Amino acid sequence: GDGPTKVALGLKLAHDQGSVMGFGGTDGQSGADLVSVQLGLAQDLGQSGFLTMGAEFGLASLGTQAALSNVSAAGFNSVSVSFGNREVFARGDKLAFGVSMPIAVTSGHADLAIPVSGRSSREAFSPVNLDLSPADRQVDMSISYQRPLAPGLELAVELVHAENYGNRAGQRDTAGALALKFEF
């Protein structure tokens, strides 16, 4: 849209080489096939305020796995919201605060064969059902600042704090970035 509201819609078709979803196959295929829908909304609020929201919802076909059997498709999603103001400290600058849940598996299951001791000296294997979705989702809180320094040159600073980092309960991480953006 050209007015104060902008809407974005996207479709993603991808093949993961095993680094995003973390699954590698035994059938000569590595990784997962993914399909997702991306939604975005940007809204101007009054004179200099703004609100942005984004979400992604998708499915991944995980294929045949080395250690797992009966692997289902995995549902995944991400969501983010940020709000802020323009021209807070200087002309053309932008200060924003955001909260997001980065992409994570939200549904899916598989069986893992684990060895169990039997009455005989031979080992037996028993399937254990695994839920592929994490019990605790990562939540990121961020603050960012952008400011033009000269025509075609912009300074960007961002600080992000993550709770349940890596979708592991109680893990925390904080990171910062300082960047100069050149346009020519």
mmCIF file of all heavy atoms in Angstrom, residues 15-45:
data_model
loop_
_atom_site.group_PDB
_atom_site.id
_atom_site.type_symbol
_atom_site.label_atom_id
_atom_site.label_comp_id
_atom_site.label_asym_id
_atom_site.label_seq_id
_atom_site.Cartn_x
_atom_site.Cartn_y
_atom_site.Cartn_z
ATOM 1 N N HIS A 15 14.595 -25.790 0.157
ATOM 2 C CA HIS A 15 15.176 -27.058 0.575
ATOM 3 C C HIS A 15 16.291 -26.738 1.560
ATOM 4 O O HIS A 15 17.224 -26.005 1.231
ATOM 5 C CB HIS A 15 15.732 -27.840 -0.609
ATOM 6 C CG HIS A 15 16.341 -29.144 -0.198
ATOM 7 N ND1 HIS A 15 15.573 -30.237 0.138
ATOM 8 C CD2 HIS A 15 17.630 -29.507 -0.038
ATOM 9 C CE1 HIS A 15 16.375 -31.229 0.480
ATOM 10 N NE2 HIS A 15 17.624 -30.807 0.375
ATOM 11 N N ASP A 16 16.171 -27.258 2.756
ATOM 12 C CA ASP A 16 17.156 -27.053 3.816
ATOM 13 C C ASP A 16 18.198 -28.163 3.706
ATOM 14 O O ASP A 16 17.852 -29.335 3.605
ATOM 15 C CB ASP A 16 16.407 -27.094 5.162
ATOM 16 C CG ASP A 16 17.324 -27.257 6.340
ATOM 17 O OD1 ASP A 16 18.380 -26.633 6.350
ATOM 18 O OD2 ASP A 16 16.974 -28.007 7.262
ATOM 19 N N GLN A 17 19.462 -27.807 3.743
ATOM 20 C CA GLN A 17 20.539 -28.801 3.646
ATOM 21 C C GLN A 17 20.843 -29.470 4.984
ATOM 22 O O GLN A 17 21.877 -30.091 5.134
ATOM 23 C CB GLN A 17 21.802 -28.127 3.105
ATOM 24 C CG GLN A 17 21.659 -27.639 1.691
ATOM 25 C CD GLN A 17 21.485 -28.769 0.699
ATOM 26 O OE1 GLN A 17 22.067 -29.827 0.830
ATOM 27 N NE2 GLN A 17 20.639 -28.554 -0.290
ATOM 28 N N GLY A 18 19.951 -29.309 5.966
ATOM 29 C CA GLY A 18 20.158 -29.929 7.264
ATOM 30 C C GLY A 18 20.638 -28.956 8.312
ATOM 31 O O GLY A 18 20.731 -29.294 9.486
ATOM 32 N N SER A 19 20.938 -27.716 7.923
ATOM 33 C CA SER A 19 21.476 -26.761 8.889
ATOM 34 C C SER A 19 20.395 -25.966 9.608
ATOM 35 O O SER A 19 20.607 -25.501 10.710
ATOM 36 C CB SER A 19 22.433 -25.799 8.182
ATOM 37 O OG SER A 19 21.740 -25.086 7.186
ATOM 38 N N VAL A 20 19.208 -25.808 9.004
ATOM 39 C CA VAL A 20 18.151 -25.033 9.649
ATOM 40 C C VAL A 20 17.302 -25.920 10.547
ATOM 41 O O VAL A 20 17.176 -25.707 11.739
ATOM 42 C CB VAL A 20 17.257 -24.324 8.602
ATOM 43 C CG1 VAL A 20 16.121 -23.588 9.281
ATOM 44 C CG2 VAL A 20 18.098 -23.344 7.796
ATOM 45 N N MET A 21 16.721 -26.961 9.977
ATOM 46 C CA MET A 21 15.892 -27.869 10.768
ATOM 47 C C MET A 21 16.736 -28.921 11.488
ATOM 48 O O MET A 21 16.257 -29.582 12.387
ATOM 49 C CB MET A 21 14.842 -28.555 9.890
ATOM 50 C CG MET A 21 13.775 -27.611 9.408
ATOM 51 S SD MET A 21 12.756 -27.045 10.770
ATOM 52 C CE MET A 21 11.663 -25.947 9.901
ATOM 53 N N GLY A 22 17.989 -29.106 11.066
ATOM 54 C CA GLY A 22 18.885 -30.023 11.755
ATOM 55 C C GLY A 22 18.678 -31.481 11.412
ATOM 56 O O GLY A 22 19.135 -32.355 12.133
ATOM 57 N N PHE A 23 18.018 -31.783 10.304
ATOM 58 C CA PHE A 23 17.770 -33.168 9.924
ATOM 59 C C PHE A 23 18.536 -33.496 8.644
ATOM 60 O O PHE A 23 18.491 -32.756 7.681
ATOM 61 C CB PHE A 23 16.278 -33.412 9.686
ATOM 62 C CG PHE A 23 15.476 -33.460 10.948
ATOM 63 C CD1 PHE A 23 14.858 -32.336 11.437
ATOM 64 C CD2 PHE A 23 15.357 -34.648 11.650
ATOM 65 C CE1 PHE A 23 14.121 -32.376 12.603
ATOM 66 C CE2 PHE A 23 14.623 -34.700 12.818
ATOM 67 C CZ PHE A 23 14.007 -33.570 13.293
ATOM 68 N N GLY A 24 19.216 -34.620 8.657
ATOM 69 C CA GLY A 24 19.884 -35.122 7.471
ATOM 70 C C GLY A 24 19.351 -36.502 7.163
ATOM 71 O O GLY A 24 19.108 -37.287 8.070
ATOM 72 N N GLY A 25 19.154 -36.808 5.902
ATOM 73 C CA GLY A 25 18.513 -38.059 5.534
ATOM 74 C C GLY A 25 19.478 -39.191 5.248
ATOM 75 O O GLY A 25 20.669 -38.998 5.068
ATOM 76 N N THR A 26 18.930 -40.417 5.181
ATOM 77 C CA THR A 26 19.707 -41.603 4.841
ATOM 78 C C THR A 26 19.417 -42.062 3.430
ATOM 79 O O THR A 26 20.022 -42.995 2.949
ATOM 80 C CB THR A 26 19.365 -42.760 5.794
ATOM 81 O OG1 THR A 26 17.960 -43.041 5.681
ATOM 82 C CG2 THR A 26 19.706 -42.417 7.220
ATOM 83 N N ASP A 27 18.472 -41.416 2.753
ATOM 84 C CA ASP A 27 18.037 -41.852 1.433
ATOM 85 C C ASP A 27 18.749 -41.097 0.303
ATOM 86 O O ASP A 27 18.242 -40.978 -0.795
ATOM 87 C CB ASP A 27 16.525 -41.696 1.305
ATOM 88 C CG ASP A 27 16.058 -40.274 1.583
ATOM 89 O OD1 ASP A 27 16.918 -39.406 1.848
ATOM 90 O OD2 ASP A 27 14.842 -40.032 1.534
ATOM 91 N N GLY A 28 19.957 -40.595 0.584
ATOM 92 C CA GLY A 28 20.678 -39.823 -0.415
ATOM 93 C C GLY A 28 20.252 -38.366 -0.436
ATOM 94 O O GLY A 28 20.856 -37.539 -1.076
ATOM 95 N N GLN A 29 19.201 -38.044 0.261
ATOM 96 C CA GLN A 29 18.710 -36.677 0.377
ATOM 97 C C GLN A 29 19.164 -36.134 1.727
ATOM 98 O O GLN A 29 19.125 -36.838 2.716
ATOM 99 C CB GLN A 29 17.180 -36.652 0.317
ATOM 100 C CG GLN A 29 16.601 -37.184 -0.965
ATOM 101 C CD GLN A 29 16.467 -36.088 -2.003
ATOM 102 O OE1 GLN A 29 16.359 -34.931 -1.662
ATOM 103 N NE2 GLN A 29 16.492 -36.474 -3.253
ATOM 104 N N SER A 30 19.586 -34.922 1.746
ATOM 105 C CA SER A 30 19.989 -34.292 2.994
ATOM 106 C C SER A 30 19.071 -33.120 3.259
ATOM 107 O O SER A 30 18.773 -32.346 2.368
ATOM 108 C CB SER A 30 21.434 -33.794 2.890
ATOM 109 O OG SER A 30 21.796 -33.114 4.060
ATOM 110 N N GLY A 31 18.597 -33.009 4.484
ATOM 111 C CA GLY A 31 17.787 -31.866 4.855
ATOM 112 C C GLY A 31 16.305 -32.089 4.681
ATOM 113 O O GLY A 31 15.822 -33.214 4.662
ATOM 114 N N ALA A 32 15.579 -30.990 4.553
ATOM 115 C CA ALA A 32 14.120 -31.021 4.532
ATOM 116 C C ALA A 32 13.589 -30.124 3.425
ATOM 117 O O ALA A 32 14.220 -29.146 3.054
ATOM 118 C CB ALA A 32 13.590 -30.534 5.884
ATOM 119 N N ASP A 33 12.423 -30.478 2.909
ATOM 120 C CA ASP A 33 11.711 -29.614 1.978
ATOM 121 C C ASP A 33 10.739 -28.780 2.775
ATOM 122 O O ASP A 33 10.003 -29.312 3.613
ATOM 123 C CB ASP A 33 10.955 -30.451 0.932
ATOM 124 C CG ASP A 33 11.906 -31.190 0.014
ATOM 125 O OD1 ASP A 33 12.906 -30.584 -0.409
ATOM 126 O OD2 ASP A 33 11.653 -32.378 -0.271
ATOM 127 N N LEU A 34 10.737 -27.467 2.542
ATOM 128 C CA LEU A 34 9.923 -26.555 3.329
ATOM 129 C C LEU A 34 8.988 -25.739 2.450
ATOM 130 O O LEU A 34 9.362 -25.358 1.347
ATOM 131 C CB LEU A 34 10.824 -25.575 4.105
ATOM 132 C CG LEU A 34 11.862 -26.183 5.005
ATOM 133 C CD1 LEU A 34 13.240 -25.954 4.446
ATOM 134 C CD2 LEU A 34 11.756 -25.586 6.372
ATOM 135 N N VAL A 35 7.815 -25.443 2.988
ATOM 136 C CA VAL A 35 6.888 -24.513 2.353
ATOM 137 C C VAL A 35 6.301 -23.659 3.477
ATOM 138 O O VAL A 35 5.972 -24.172 4.549
ATOM 139 C CB VAL A 35 5.784 -25.234 1.541
ATOM 140 C CG1 VAL A 35 4.948 -26.144 2.418
ATOM 141 C CG2 VAL A 35 4.905 -24.225 0.818
ATOM 142 N N SER A 36 6.232 -22.351 3.257
ATOM 143 C CA SER A 36 5.671 -21.487 4.296
ATOM 144 C C SER A 36 4.999 -20.263 3.682
ATOM 145 O O SER A 36 5.281 -19.885 2.550
ATOM 146 C CB SER A 36 6.744 -21.035 5.299
ATOM 147 O OG SER A 36 7.652 -20.142 4.696
ATOM 148 N N VAL A 37 4.132 -19.673 4.463
ATOM 149 C CA VAL A 37 3.456 -18.426 4.115
ATOM 150 C C VAL A 37 3.971 -17.354 5.072
ATOM 151 O O VAL A 37 4.036 -17.581 6.287
ATOM 152 C CB VAL A 37 1.926 -18.564 4.239
ATOM 153 C CG1 VAL A 37 1.241 -17.233 4.027
ATOM 154 C CG2 VAL A 37 1.402 -19.599 3.253
ATOM 155 N N GLN A 38 4.341 -16.203 4.530
ATOM 156 C CA GLN A 38 4.829 -15.093 5.332
ATOM 157 C C GLN A 38 3.849 -13.935 5.237
ATOM 158 O O GLN A 38 3.370 -13.618 4.142
ATOM 159 C CB GLN A 38 6.209 -14.657 4.839
ATOM 160 C CG GLN A 38 7.230 -15.757 4.921
ATOM 161 C CD GLN A 38 8.458 -15.458 4.092
ATOM 162 O OE1 GLN A 38 8.369 -14.974 2.973
ATOM 163 N NE2 GLN A 38 9.620 -15.765 4.642
ATOM 164 N N LEU A 39 3.550 -13.325 6.372
ATOM 165 C CA LEU A 39 2.637 -12.197 6.439
ATOM 166 C C LEU A 39 3.340 -11.037 7.117
ATOM 167 O O LEU A 39 4.076 -11.232 8.081
ATOM 168 C CB LEU A 39 1.389 -12.561 7.251
ATOM 169 C CG LEU A 39 0.646 -13.832 6.833
ATOM 170 C CD1 LEU A 39 -0.347 -14.230 7.905
ATOM 171 C CD2 LEU A 39 -0.050 -13.597 5.514
ATOM 172 N N GLY A 40 3.088 -9.826 6.639
ATOM 173 C CA GLY A 40 3.678 -8.651 7.255
ATOM 174 C C GLY A 40 2.718 -7.481 7.225
ATOM 175 O O GLY A 40 1.892 -7.364 6.320
ATOM 176 N N LEU A 41 2.812 -6.639 8.229
ATOM 177 C CA LEU A 41 1.983 -5.444 8.328
ATOM 178 C C LEU A 41 2.835 -4.323 8.895
ATOM 179 O O LEU A 41 3.523 -4.501 9.895
ATOM 180 C CB LEU A 41 0.782 -5.690 9.239
ATOM 181 C CG LEU A 41 -0.068 -4.468 9.585
ATOM 182 C CD1 LEU A 41 -0.869 -4.021 8.366
ATOM 183 C CD2 LEU A 41 -1.006 -4.776 10.740
ATOM 184 N N ALA A 42 2.800 -3.172 8.243
ATOM 185 C CA ALA A 42 3.463 -1.966 8.743
ATOM 186 C C ALA A 42 2.410 -0.865 8.788
ATOM 187 O O ALA A 42 1.711 -0.624 7.812
ATOM 188 C CB ALA A 42 4.617 -1.564 7.840
ATOM 189 N N GLN A 43 2.300 -0.220 9.931
ATOM 190 C CA GLN A 43 1.276 0.806 10.131
ATOM 191 C C GLN A 43 1.917 2.064 10.698
ATOM 192 O O GLN A 43 2.605 2.006 11.724
ATOM 193 C CB GLN A 43 0.203 0.288 11.094
ATOM 194 C CG GLN A 43 -0.872 1.283 11.445
ATOM 195 C CD GLN A 43 -1.762 1.607 10.256
ATOM 196 O OE1 GLN A 43 -2.262 0.718 9.590
ATOM 197 N NE2 GLN A 43 -1.961 2.885 9.982
ATOM 198 N N ASP A 44 1.709 3.197 10.033
ATOM 199 C CA ASP A 44 2.140 4.472 10.586
ATOM 200 C C ASP A 44 1.160 4.876 11.669
ATOM 201 O O ASP A 44 -0.056 4.740 11.504
ATOM 202 C CB ASP A 44 2.183 5.548 9.503
ATOM 203 C CG ASP A 44 3.360 5.382 8.557
ATOM 204 O OD1 ASP A 44 4.339 4.718 8.956
ATOM 205 O OD2 ASP A 44 3.290 5.890 7.432
ATOM 206 N N LEU A 45 1.683 5.369 12.793
ATOM 207 C CA LEU A 45 0.856 5.800 13.917
ATOM 208 C C LEU A 45 1.074 7.284 14.166
ATOM 209 O O LEU A 45 2.105 7.685 14.685
ATOM 210 C CB LEU A 45 1.212 5.017 15.189
ATOM 211 C CG LEU A 45 1.149 3.492 15.101
ATOM 212 C CD1 LEU A 45 1.700 2.868 16.361
ATOM 213 C CD2 LEU A 45 -0.285 3.040 14.855
#
